[in-house]
Amino acid sequence: MENPYASALALCRVSKLFRRAALPKILHTISLSAPHSVTAFLHALQMQKAYAQKNHHLHFEYAPHVHRVWIRYGPHSPAPVRHRLTRHALSEPEMDFGLLAPVLLAAESLALNFESVFLLMGCLHYAWNSDMATTIDHARSPLRWNTKTLTIASDAMHLFLLRIRPEGSAFLASISHVIALSDPTDSNLHISGRHAGELRSGDYKLPRWMTRASWASFTSLQTVSLALPHIILPINFRYVVGGMNLQVELLTFSASLMMDDEVPLEIKASTETGHGRISLDDVRVTLSRGCVHFCASYHDWEKAWAGRLLG
């Protein structure tokens, strides 16, 4: 994958003036899409710490310029997520949460998959139990993070394990908007349902994890969004298996609809509402201008998120 920061990094090498101008642009949206990306970012933070200690002219404070962070740690986390959430599993020497936490938690918008939960939990644990310097206005909020929008890639049931610890529970309670990205299984069911006529225009099935999640943990949640591929019939399903570019439908509705005793299973046209259903009249549907690459086993949600196709 081509380095999206290549041009900006080249500018940084031109002069100190160019570097100071380019770094805020680079840091606005940070994409850490693999373990080696996290390692490289930590190395950059370690360099900045060393520069700060020497009062070096190359020192640059990252946290004030970070607004959006994407973390997709990989198909397998280094240790089971459940174990990573225990009290004694947050001190791995290779993961310096003291450096990572002020930057990660400075972001207003955070996107992650379940393998990345241990990174978030480690940062929250550090911030909760230290005198971490932050960019948060504590006169307005006692919290040690800025995050208000949480984007969840793939099955997010593990994310709700955050509530077993006080810092994780407080984090979930502070989120105001959740964006759920459909995983390949859910998208394939959506596409095949449209193709077979089982899902008519205006009908959507919510991913299973959304119907089983503990939404009560999100006490400040205002809206929930679900991203799905936009299907125009007829469609050749063989192309979907091989991969094709499709626009994205972003379905946004009030979080109060997820807080009822009976969590809805689907979105239906207004004439077919009832138990377990959300009326399409209560949903704002936004169609992206750009496209996302969808195939049977992979969706390029990272590019869509970085390009603000998801809002």
Side-chain angles (χ1 to χ4, degrees), residues 69-306:
V69 177
W70 169 283
I71 306 177
R72 187 175 183 86
Y73 199 75
H76 303 289
S77 55
V81 174
R82 186 180 297 273
H83 294 166
R84 289 277 180 165
L85 299 183
T86 64
R87 179 172 300 175
H88 304 291
L90 297 172
S91 58
E92 292 83 349
E94 75 278 6
M95 194 61 65
D96 191 339
F97 290 115
L99 286 176
L100 187 61
V103 178
L104 183 69
L105 300 182
E108 295 100 340
S109 177
L110 178 63
L112 71 165
N113 63 340
F114 83 88
E115 290 95 346
S116 310
V117 171
F118 84 95
L119 288 172
L120 172 60
M121 195 63 215
C123 289
L124 292 172
H125 181 80
Y126 178 85
W128 193 262
N129 294 284
S130 71
D131 295 324
M132 183 184 79
T134 67
T135 58
I136 290 88
D137 181 0
H138 290 290
R140 297 179 60 185
S141 172
L143 300 176
R144 291 180 172 268
W145 50 83
N146 282 330
T147 311
K148 294 299 180 185
T149 298
L150 186 62
T151 301
I152 304 168
S154 72
D155 189 330
M157 287 303 294
H158 289 84
L159 179 69
F160 292 87
L161 291 174
L162 288 174
R163 60 195 172 97
I164 69 177
R165 297 189 58 84
E167 61 269 30
S169 179
F171 177 81
L172 294 179
S174 69
I175 298 298
S176 59
H177 182 43
V178 167
I179 301 175
L181 307 180
S182 59
D183 66 13
T185 298
D186 293 317
S187 294
N188 292 339
L189 289 173
H190 176 72
I191 295 171
S192 62
R194 284 275 195 268
H195 176 70
E198 298 170 358
L199 281 177
R200 293 175 293 176
S201 177
D203 291 353
Y204 306 87
K205 289 188 179 297
L206 299 185
R208 182 176 297 180
W209 74 261
M210 290 186 71
T211 67
R212 298 185 298 174
S214 302
W215 291 100
S217 303
F218 291 87
T219 57
S220 299
L221 194 62
Q222 298 177 12
T223 53
V224 177
S225 296
L226 172 63
L228 287 165
H230 175 63
I231 306 303
I232 299 177
L233 297 176
I235 186 171
N236 190 325
F237 204 73
R238 289 182 300 173
Y239 292 149
V240 177
V241 175
M244 62 187 305
N245 295 327
L246 297 170
Q247 288 176 282
V248 177
E249 289 184 79
L250 191 66
L251 315 174
T252 303
F253 46 89
S254 171
S256 62
L257 297 172
M258 305 300 291
M259 303 296 181
D260 294 335
D261 293 335
E262 185 178 1
V263 177
L265 303 176
E266 55 188 351
I267 297 170
K268 298 286 284 186
S270 58
T271 57
E272 299 182 55
T273 57
H275 291 298
R277 292 172 175 171
I278 295 175
S279 168
L280 189 60
D281 289 344
D282 296 325
V283 178
R284 183 175 76 251
V285 182
T286 306
L287 187 63
S288 70
R289 293 183 179 180
C291 294
V292 170
H293 186 74
F294 289 91
C295 70
S297 59
Y298 174 75
H299 300 345
D300 195 4
W301 284 126
E302 180 183 355
K303 185 179 293 186
W305 176 87

Side-chain angles (χ1 to χ4, degrees), residues 26-75:
I26 294 175
L27 294 171
H28 182 280
T29 299
I30 295 174
S31 178
L32 306 175
S33 55
H36 68 81
S37 300
V38 177
T39 301
F41 188 66
L42 277 170
H43 179 64
L45 293 175
Q46 290 166 350
M47 289 179 62
Q48 290 304 320
K49 181 180 179 180
Y51 289 152
Q53 292 171 343
K54 297 177 181 179
N55 199 26
H56 197 283
H57 70 275
L58 289 178
H59 172 246
F60 192 86
E61 193 66 41
Y62 281 15
H65 304 284
V66 173
H67 297 275
R68 306 173 76 234
V69 177
W70 169 283
I71 306 177
R72 187 175 183 86
Y73 199 75

